[in-house]
Structure formats: C-alpha cells, structure tokens
Amino acid sequence: MAAATKAGLKDNPAMSFVMLTDSQVVPSQPINKDFSKPLSKNKSSNTSTRLEPLDSDDPPSMSQQIESSTRIFEILSARSDIDHPICTECTDLLLTSLQSRLSCAQKERDAYITFLKSLNTTSPNPSALQKAQSSLAAARTAEEKAFSTLLSLEKEKADLDAEIAALDAESSALDAEEHAFWRDRNAFALTLSEFQSERDALNAAYEHDARLLERLQRTNVFNDCFCISHDGHFGTINGLRLGRLPPPQNVEWAEINAALGTAALLLATVAERLGCEFRGYRIRPMGSTSSVEKFEAPHSQSSSTSTITPGATTTTTTTAPASSPSHHHHHSPPTTQQNQKTTTLDLFSSGDLPLGANKFLHRRLDAGLAAFLDCIRQLGEFVEHSAAAAAAAASSSTASPASIKGIARLPYEIKKDKIHGVSIRLGAGTDETWTRACKYALTCCKYLLAHASNAGARAGKGAGGAT
C-alpha cells in the first residue's frame, strides 16, 4: 500500500519532485551506526555484535527490518507533532494537509520567481537612476519645506488655540454678564409691570371718580327733593296738587296741606342755602301742619291789630333778629334786641267748611298764604340784588345800572297778597283764581330753586379751581 501511495504521488502532475541519484542517497549502514548508539544503552553488547552489516549479500532478517522501521518511526515522531506509525485514515489526512501546504509554498515560489523576473527585466539604466535621484532630492527638499511649513502652521495653531481659549474665557464672562443682564431686565420688567398695573388701577379709579364727580356735579339735589311741575290746571310739588276746583276735579285738603308743607320746606331750604333771612317772618316747615311765624314790634301793635287773624296764636318774646349774612341784602333790620310779638300763621286747613262760612273761617290760612307769598317776594328781591352785585363786579364799569338790575327777576310780580294780579287768599276769590295763584307761586319757587342750584354749582367750581 505504501508503494502504491508513493507511485500515486509521483504520477500527480501538481507535485514537483527532485530526483536524486543513487550516489546521493545516504547509505543505510552509517545511519544504523549513528542510531545504534542510543539503542546500545538499552541492549546488550551481545545483540550489537550479532548485527550484520547491511551491505552484505545476504538479505536482512525480519528483526532487522522491524528494528529499522522502529528507528525510522522514532525519528519521524521526534521531528513532527504526530506519533508514528499512523493508520491509513490519518495518513490520508496528513497527505491532504501536506499537499495544501505544498500548494501554498508553490504559489509563493511562483510569486517570488515572477517578481525576480520583473526585477531583472526592469533594472534602471544610469539616466533613469540619475532622474530618480534628482526626483528624490526634490522630494526631500519639498519635504523639508513642508516640514518647515508644518512647524509654522503648528505654531500658528498653538497661537490660535491660545486666542480661542482667551475668546472662550471672554465668551464665558459675556455669557455670565448676559445672564445677569437678563435677570436684572426680568426683575425690572416685573417691577415695571407692577407699576403699570398700579398706574392702570389708579387711572381707572381716577376715571371712575371723575365720572362719579361729574355725575354728582350734574345732580341737582333741589330738583330731586322738590320736583315742581303741573297737572292740568294744578301746580304740583313732588306730585302733590296745590289748588281746588269744583267737582269732579276737587282736591282733598290732606293733599293740599302736604303740598303747602313741602313748599314751605323748599322756601326755608333755599333761603338757608342762599343765606337770606326773612324780615318779620320765620317759616316753620312741619309737613302737613307747617306754619309761618310773624314778628311785630310792640309800638306797631295798635296799628296792626286790625290785620291779626282771629284765632291766631300770639306771644310776646324778646328776640334779636340777625341780619342777613350777605351784604347784598339791603333790607336787613338793625341787630338790636327788642320785645317782639310773635303771631303763628297756619299753612294748613282742617277741611271743608260749611257753605257761606269760607271767607270767615279760612282767614287763618289766608293770612299764612299771604305771609308765605311775602317771603317769596323777599327771597326774590334778595336773589335780584345778589345777581346784580355779582354782575356789576364781573362786568365793565360802563354797564348801565338798569341793565344790571334787570338781570334776575321773579317770573311773576308780587304785590302784597297778589301774584300776577291774582290774590293768594282763598276767601278773596273763586277756587279757580286761587288755584291759578298757587300755580304762579310754585312757578316762582321753581325759579328760586333753579337759582339756588346754579349758585351751588358756581360755588363748587370756584372751590375746585381754588384747590
């Protein structure tokens, strides 16, 4: 089998062999002598002496062949990683491995041969060698220049790195400063927003208060408290009719008394507002039982007894009538204490009276109405003189006194107990004339009320300008 394998290896065209001659083969006897030395240690000298030389003409014995094979196997085992002898399968695997290694070695050999041939064919001539040397020198010169350039660039890079580091530090400082700026800016914006909110709140409150003030300035307290109008032939105050007409337009005395009490309160309020004090009268507004107190000096008692109403309450008191606080009132009595007689005149009636007794039993109401009308006249004169003095102070000195005096007058002229030629006394005429006279009196009261409202508005504006 070994012979067949050896024959197959020789016939394989992929294998290359070097054929050796017989003279080049090492004789077997010297080998046996060389390898017989270690064996002689284990064997006796008698065995070695019995070995015959291999070159004898006699064929070797079986033991010699076995011993030679054993020696060969030992040599192979010492020179490789495989212990010999080996089986057929291991031999085939070993041959396959060795063939692959042989193939790689052949390829490497062929590559070396090809490189060697190309090297031999491309060997440079002297001119090419000189050209290559000059190229090498130029390359080295360029390398030196490039190296020097690289050094300068590295130095420049180092400078740039240092500059970048400085710029980074400056950028960090600027970032910190920017953060501080935005923090302060946000705090300022928050404070500004709070101030703006407070300002808007104050502006809103100011606008609200200004509108409220304007509405209050336009508000007329006198008109709200004393609403004077008319209802057909009747003059009304706060919806209360003042006057009497034949049925079915008759008005109850309770409504008439309430209307007279409201008119008395109006006249007393306007006089107090304008600072006017009536001469010889004092109005006592007491609702449906209001009255007018009339003051008379003792020396005029005999001359005035004929005008005192029967049944009127008469008392004698010691009073000191105060002068008007306004210097425009030219009819104020001197401020001296005198014993005065006080007569209370009613501004109400107890109800309907029997037929034919009106002119006698209504004399107390008539006296009160006449005193009430006289108080309206005095307050009208006070307003006229006050308006004339104010106009004279505000106008030029060339203005005529007549034009100044006619500035403010009552809408209806009042003479004694008549207004616009109609008597205010209930017993002096019919119900229609008395109703018309009461309507005229309420119209004059509305004029005085409007004057008091305008005077209050001018005083408020003056006080606001002074502040």
Side-chain angles (χ1 to χ4, degrees):
M1 183 176 177
T5 303
K6 186 179 292 185
L9 291 175
K10 286 183 179 181
D11 294 337
N12 191 0
M15 304 292 291
S16 61
F17 296 94
V18 179
M19 301 303 294
L20 300 178
T21 60
D22 293 338
S23 60
Q24 293 175 343
V25 177
V26 179
S28 60
Q29 187 171 359
I31 297 173
N32 292 332
K33 289 181 180 180
D34 294 335
F35 287 98
S36 62
K37 291 181 180 179
L39 293 175
S40 61
K41 295 179 181 179
N42 298 324
K43 296 182 179 181
S44 61
S45 61
N46 294 327
T47 305
S48 60
T49 57
R50 287 196 299 267
L51 292 176
E52 294 181 359
L54 294 176
D55 56 351
S56 63
D57 295 333
D58 297 332
S61 63
M62 183 63 66
S63 60
Q64 291 178 352
Q65 292 179 358
I66 292 172
E67 186 178 356
S68 298
S69 297
T70 302
R71 296 282 186 246
I72 292 172
F73 290 150
E74 289 178 357
I75 293 171
L76 290 175
S77 298
R79 293 178 178 273
S80 66
D81 296 334
I82 301 173
D83 293 335
H84 294 274
I86 59 177
C87 63
T88 303
E89 290 80 4
C90 294
T91 303
D92 293 338
L93 293 175
L94 179 61
L95 289 176
T96 302
S97 176
L98 291 176
Q99 284 179 359
S100 63
R101 290 174 63 186
L102 179 61
S103 177
C104 292
Q106 286 177 353
K107 291 179 181 180
E108 187 176 356
R109 182 201 63 182
D110 294 339
Y112 282 132
I113 290 172
T114 302
F115 178 73
L116 182 59
K117 288 180 179 180
S118 64
L119 186 62
N120 291 329
T121 56
T122 59
S123 59
N125 52 13
S127 60
L129 183 60
Q130 185 177 2
K131 185 177 180 180
Q133 289 179 354
S134 61
S135 297
L136 179 60
R140 288 179 178 175
T141 304
E143 182 184 4
E144 291 178 357
K145 291 182 179 180
F147 185 73
S148 61
T149 304
L150 178 61
L151 292 178
S152 62
L153 290 176
E154 288 181 351
K155 183 177 179 182
E156 185 177 358
K157 180 179 177 297
D159 296 339
L160 290 177
D161 290 340
E163 186 176 358
I164 289 173
L167 291 176
D168 289 338
E170 186 177 359
S171 176
S172 299
L174 289 177
D175 289 340
E177 186 176 357
E178 182 182 5
H179 292 163
F181 166 76
W182 284 113
R183 185 169 57 252
D184 296 341
R185 188 260 179 194
N186 292 335
F188 175 76
L190 182 60
T191 305
L192 180 61
S193 177
E194 293 177 354
F195 285 157
Q196 289 176 349
S197 300
E198 185 177 359
R199 181 202 62 188
D200 295 340
L202 292 176
N203 289 337
Y206 172 76
E207 292 177 359
H208 174 267
D209 294 342
R211 288 194 298 268
L212 181 60
L213 177 61
E214 184 179 359
R215 186 166 64 251
L216 292 176
Q217 287 177 348
R218 289 197 304 266
T219 302
N220 193 337
V221 181
F222 294 107
N223 289 338
D224 294 339
C225 295
F226 307 103
C227 180
I228 298 176
S229 181
H230 65 89
D231 183 8
H233 298 284
F234 297 99
T236 61
I237 178 169
N238 291 347
L240 301 173
R241 293 175 294 179
L242 183 58
R244 287 179 63 85
L245 290 176
Q249 296 182 350
N250 195 13
V251 181
E252 299 293 336
W253 276 105
E255 184 176 355
I256 295 174
N257 295 335
L260 289 173
T262 307
L265 178 62
L266 182 152
L267 197 61
T269 303
V270 171
E272 183 180 0
R273 179 69 179 85
L274 296 178
C276 175
E277 186 172 348
F278 300 111
R279 302 185 307 275
Y281 298 102
R282 180 167 61 189
I283 299 176
R284 291 191 173 277
M286 299 173 64
S288 297
T289 59
S290 300
S291 61
V292 178
E293 291 182 351
K294 182 178 181 181
F295 303 105
E296 292 181 337
H299 67 274
S300 62
Q301 182 176 3
S302 58
S303 61
S304 60
T305 53
S306 61
T307 61
I308 297 176
T309 303
T313 304
T314 304
T315 59
T316 303
T317 58
T318 301
T319 60
S323 62
S324 172
S326 176
H327 63 277
H328 303 300
H329 193 222
H330 304 286
H331 304 282
S332 301
T335 58
T336 58
Q337 287 189 348
Q338 298 178 4
N339 294 327
Q340 293 183 342
K341 181 176 66 175
T342 303
T343 304
T344 302
L345 308 176
D346 297 336
L347 287 178
F348 62 92
S349 178
S350 59
D352 291 333
L353 300 175
L355 186 63
N358 288 344
K359 293 185 178 181
F360 179 75
L361 296 178
H362 280 297
R363 292 183 63 185
R364 296 181 62 181
L365 177 61
D366 291 342
L369 290 174
F372 180 76
L373 192 62
D374 192 16
C375 291
I376 294 176
R377 180 188 61 78
Q378 293 183 28
L379 188 57
E381 292 178 356
F382 176 81
V383 168
E384 182 179 356
H385 289 293
S386 299
S395 62
S396 61
S397 58
T398 59
S400 61
S403 61
I404 295 176
K405 189 175 182 180
I407 289 177
R409 289 182 181 274
L410 291 176
Y412 300 107
E413 184 180 5
I414 299 175
K415 290 184 178 180
K416 296 183 179 180
D417 60 348
K418 293 183 178 182
I419 177 170
H420 200 54
V422 181
S423 178
I424 196 68
R425 297 178 181 270
L426 182 58
T430 62
D431 291 341
E432 290 82 358
T433 57
W434 182 67
T435 301
R436 189 164 61 252
C438 292
K439 188 175 182 180
Y440 294 157
L442 287 180
T443 303
C444 293
C445 289
K446 188 173 183 178
Y447 164 79
L448 296 174
L449 186 67
H451 181 79
S453 300
N454 294 333
R458 287 194 298 269
K461 291 181 180 180
T467 56

